[in-house]
Amino acid sequence: MSPASASRADATRKRSFLRTRKGRLALAAGVVVACGAAGAFTVQALTPELTVRGLSGGSVLNAAHAKSLAMSVTADDTSLLRSLRVTLDGRPVPTRLNGDRLEIQPPALADGKHRLSVEGSGGSIPFTSPRASRTFTVDTSPPVLRLGPAQAASLHAPVTVRGRASGARQIEVNGRKTDIGADGTFEVTVQNPPPVIKVTATDRAGNVATGTVQAVVKHPLMRAAHLTAIGWTSDSLREGVLDLIRQKKLNAVELDIKDEDGEIGYASKVPLARRIGAAKGYYDARQAIEAIHKLGAQVIGRIVAFRDPILANAAWQGDHRSSVVQTPGGDPYGGGNYGSLAFTNFADTTVRRYNIDLASEAASLGFDDILYDYVRRPDGPLSGMKFEGLGSDTPEQSIAGFVAETRAVVRPKGAFLGVSVFGVAASRPKEIAQDIGLLAQQADYIAPMVYPSHWGPGEYKVADPNAQPYDIVQRSLADFARKTKGSEAQVMPWLQDFSLGVHYGPQEVHEEIRAAADDGMQSFLLWNAGAKYQGDALAVMH
């Protein structure tokens, strides 16, 4: 061999077997052949290279990553793949040869540190020993997230969210990343907060813990009387209620936005309201709100949600029948003595959007509260009704979801959201799909209609509820207090200021008010369809 040939051989690596045969020399993969003087040569074996794919050394895997982990081994000499031995924490792991790679099939991985080792005999080079390894950690436990209460001074005020996320590397509050201390604590101020603030904590493995905290704004003391849209246009009825405000016996007016007939009292600009002829324009909303605010009082806008004959008739005639509660046979549902086209379908997106649009408009106009009424299904057996679009939700869940959607819209506009409910809803939530526990999570207050005249004998062990206003109101409201415990919702009852079967004078109305106060409920709303209220039943507010 010439010196030039020897120089070239020093740097030559070939992919063939090393053998001497008939005086000829063949070069192997991973072999360096060096020729010296007088034609002598030496052979030096180099360890073939193994590459573990799909897993980096020092990786931290969460549950999803560990479950979907796809590892394989490649080698610059594919012949040695068959001889590789793969172990995980010292135990053999099943493998499968797939073309030019050896696929690793690990078992379910427990939390903790692991070591993957790959060893071979050298394949076609018996005096080499290829090795590769990876150390990694499996961590499937999310951070431990604890959130403190978040209270704001008003609906327009910012709220400070505080908490601790043990083990977290990153915190997001309402979609905004925030700093986290070495001990996992964090604090962030949210401007114009939504009613429910979402907090997300993520650790180094990508495990996520989520939590929510309500932006709590305590509703101010409220003592209100109901007025219809037509009632507001009557000087005597309107001034009768406003006089009670001037006397400091009331501090709020509940004024109808949309009533039981589906009529909207002011000239709404909601497109669907105008299209179906629901916007009547009986009163000027801005002028009414301004007049009440000048007296230092609040305005509660009542929206009768799902009892809506105008919308139901327009939908049925316009071939949008999914907007109407139907029988299983596809006819309009006519139970509950309301008529066959009285109740719209709470699960229908058009119906929901219509009511939310009205609530949004009213909040923008300056109504201080939005108070839903008839936020329920019709009376009667559920088996006789069909609600298109309900899906897998129960009626109770769907209605609570609707309330949540509404509050997310009206709270940023500065309006509280209340929900009027039947008195029996506390003990019989499925009767009309009003689950108080669910609704209390989504509303600022629950307004139960605990009118003594509406209870049957023996309810809450009261022999004659209509003749025992204190007993039935106190006991039923105590049940609502229990059902709303643990939520941030207040209970503000509707009280009866009318006679039905039993004469109700100032003393009877006062007994209702005293019963509510004994349950810790100082706020209330008075109902009289004719808007004639008994001021002698009311104490002056200080």
Side-chain angles (χ1 to χ4, degrees), residues 60-66 109-112 137-145 165-169 201-210:
V60 180
L61 310 179
N62 60 25
H65 294 153
L109 297 169
D111 276 26
T137 301
V138 175
D139 177 7
T140 63
S141 299
V144 178
L145 179 62
S166 301
R169 174 175 286 183
T202 307
D203 65 14
R204 61 174 184 157
N207 296 301
V208 176
T210 59

Side-chain angles (χ1 to χ4, degrees), residues 349-434:
T349 54
T350 299
V351 172
R352 292 164 80 102
R353 187 74 261 160
Y354 177 50
N355 285 284
I356 292 173
D357 285 348
L358 286 174
S360 175
E361 178 184 62
S364 296
L365 286 169
F367 282 89
D368 301 289
D369 289 26
I370 304 300
L371 179 57
Y372 274 142
D373 202 352
Y374 285 85
V375 58
R376 63 179 180 87
R377 71 169 177 85
D379 312 55
L382 192 60
S383 59
M385 305 175 197
K386 181 175 71 172
F387 309 102
E388 290 191 24
L390 183 59
S392 60
D393 282 351
T394 65
E396 295 78 27
Q397 291 169 333
S398 180
I399 288 171
F402 163 75
V403 173
E405 290 173 35
T406 304
R407 190 165 68 149
V409 171
V410 302
R411 277 280 294 265
K413 293 176 179 286
F416 289 99
L417 180 65
V419 179
S420 297
V421 297
F422 272 16
V424 298
S427 57
R428 302 191 280 280
K430 293 184 180 297
E431 189 163 299
I432 53 169
Q434 290 182 332

Side-chain angles (χ1 to χ4, degrees), residues 164-169 179-186:
R164 181 189 297 271
S166 301
R169 174 175 286 183
D179 294 334
I180 182 170
D183 59 352
T185 58
F186 61 91

